[in-house]
Amino acid sequence: MPRSINLRQVEAFRAVIENGTVSAAALALNVTQPAVSKLVSNLEYDTGLRLFDRVKGKLTPTIQGVRLYEEVDRVFSGLHQLERAVETVRREEKGRLVVGVLPALSGHFIQQVTMRFLESEPHVFVSLIVRGSPGLTDWLATRQVDVGILNARVEHAYLETEPFLSHPLVCIMPPAHPLARKSVIRPADLHDEPFVGFDEGVEIRRVVDEVMANYGSQPRLVLEVTTAPTLCEFVAHGLGLSLVHPLMAGPVQGRVAIRRFEPAIDNHFLLVKAQKARNAGLLDLFIQHARRCGGELMREALSA
């Protein structure tokens, strides 16, 4: 009855087939020729197969030997693929960061943050995923994204959330607009003014509508949009005024006037990451850069 074979026997058999001779196989395996011969003989005995013909001191594979080699080669190819997979996982765990960001922050802000991070950690590969909050939440929950910046509530047992870059909304308008002469804009100032607003599905829109209603002000809605970059571009081109987070106004800085709005409407993004996230050190460093860069960009926008 055939006995169990061991990996060393298989390695010796494979080496003889691939190197052509016992001596070459011994050199490849860094063992003696007698050791290789014994391993091959033991493999034949344990399997009950005749793997080589001995012709004038040389080993020539038999049909059974060739057939077994095909199977061995297939197994070893699979092992090599597994080794590559292990290395890929190890490399990703140590040097890859997947960041999810809203379309509103996918321009200048995330470009600045990422560049600063890579200057300090040039060996890290960063992958940026631009999605809306619902899509990012799903990817965070399944650990396809390491950290996300969202603008909607997240309720998930395995996700940690915290307010990010909190600041009251500001009023933006074309620089030549009469209200630009004022340092503070109030709800009454916006009554019947052309207003570019977010779609009703965006939380900021609902909050702004409620504040305006409480003060008896009714801006004249001329356009609804779903993303902040689109909204800011229309304001910059003179279509109307709007209320946005100051970070969102960064891309149109210099093309719009930015004024404080009262009463203050607090607004923030959400920083979301998985509990016990991988690459915790890299993740914390990226978040530090994001906080610092976001604060600088907001101060620049507010001082313009």
Side-chain angles (χ1 to χ4, degrees), residues 157-220:
Y158 300 108
L159 295 179
E160 298 178 354
T161 66
E162 63 177 274
F164 182 67
L165 300 177
S166 299
H167 196 283
L169 297 182
V170 294
C171 184
I172 61 173
M173 66 196 78
H177 195 284
L179 287 177
R181 294 193 295 266
K182 304 187 70 168
S183 60
V184 179
I185 307 300
R186 304 181 187 278
D189 297 320
L190 299 181
H191 182 72
D192 204 35
E193 285 287 340
F195 194 85
V196 182
F198 285 103
D199 180 86
E200 290 183 347
V202 180
E203 187 174 356
I204 292 177
R205 165 68 181 275
R206 296 192 294 270
V207 175
V208 169
D209 284 352
E210 183 177 341
V211 170
M212 293 299 167
N214 290 340
Y215 283 83
S217 178
Q218 189 172 354
R220 180 163 47 89

Side-chain angles (χ1 to χ4, degrees), residues 25-159:
L27 186 63
L29 296 175
N30 196 28
V31 297
T32 64
Q33 293 184 39
V36 172
S37 297
K38 183 176 181 180
L39 286 168
V40 171
S41 296
N42 288 343
L43 179 62
E44 289 182 312
Y45 178 79
D46 291 341
T47 60
L49 299 176
R50 184 161 157 265
L51 303 176
F52 293 96
D53 286 326
R54 276 75 175 172
V55 180
K56 296 181 179 180
K58 293 184 179 181
L59 298 183
T60 303
T62 63
I63 294 177
Q64 287 183 326
V66 171
R67 179 70 184 90
L68 181 62
Y69 172 75
E70 291 173 351
E71 293 299 318
V72 167
D73 187 57
R74 181 178 60 81
V75 171
F76 272 77
S77 295
L79 288 174
H80 289 322
Q81 290 179 349
L82 180 59
E83 289 173 352
R84 288 194 294 270
V86 169
E87 181 58 30
T88 297
V89 171
R90 184 182 293 115
R91 186 172 60 251
E92 289 183 352
E93 288 294 323
K94 291 183 178 179
R96 185 167 185 254
L97 201 61
V98 183
V99 179
V101 64
L102 294 165
L105 302 179
S106 63
H108 186 60
F109 166 73
I110 201 63
Q111 180 261 331
Q112 289 291 309
V113 174
T114 305
M115 290 298 294
R116 293 188 188 187
F117 173 76
L118 289 176
E119 286 175 2
S120 62
E121 302 293 329
H123 64 285
V124 178
F125 177 78
V126 176
S127 179
L128 295 177
I129 307 295
V130 180
R131 292 286 189 280
S133 291
L136 289 179
T137 300
D138 291 340
W139 284 38
L140 283 158
T142 56
R143 294 182 181 270
Q144 297 178 71
V145 170
D146 296 312
V147 61
I149 303 174
L150 288 65
N151 63 353
R153 294 186 182 90
V154 175
E155 295 181 2
H156 194 285
Y158 300 108
L159 295 179

Side-chain angles (χ1 to χ4, degrees), residues 10-21 24-26 28-29:
V10 175
E11 287 177 334
F13 165 70
R14 180 168 176 259
V16 171
I17 294 284
E18 294 183 349
N19 290 278
T21 64
L29 296 175

Side-chain angles (χ1 to χ4, degrees), residues 227-288:
T227 66
T230 303
L231 181 149
C232 292
E233 285 296 333
F234 275 105
V235 172
H237 281 80
L239 185 62
L241 299 80
S242 194
L243 297 176
V244 297
H245 188 285
L247 194 59
M248 294 180 177
V252 292
Q253 184 179 346
R255 295 192 287 140
V256 299
I258 302 175
R259 299 292 181 265
R260 190 168 84 251
F261 182 81
E262 292 183 357
I265 302 176
D266 292 329
N267 185 239
H268 62 257
F269 300 99
L270 279 179
L271 188 69
V272 185
K273 61 182 180 179
Q275 295 179 358
K276 298 180 180 179
R278 63 179 182 179
N279 293 328
L282 292 177
L283 196 57
D284 290 342
L285 182 59
F286 187 90
I287 291 171
Q288 290 175 22

Side-chain angles (χ1 to χ4, degrees), residues 290-302:
R291 287 197 179 99
R292 188 177 302 115
C293 186
E296 292 173 1
L297 291 175
M298 284 197 296
R299 285 192 292 273
E300 289 177 9
L302 295 170

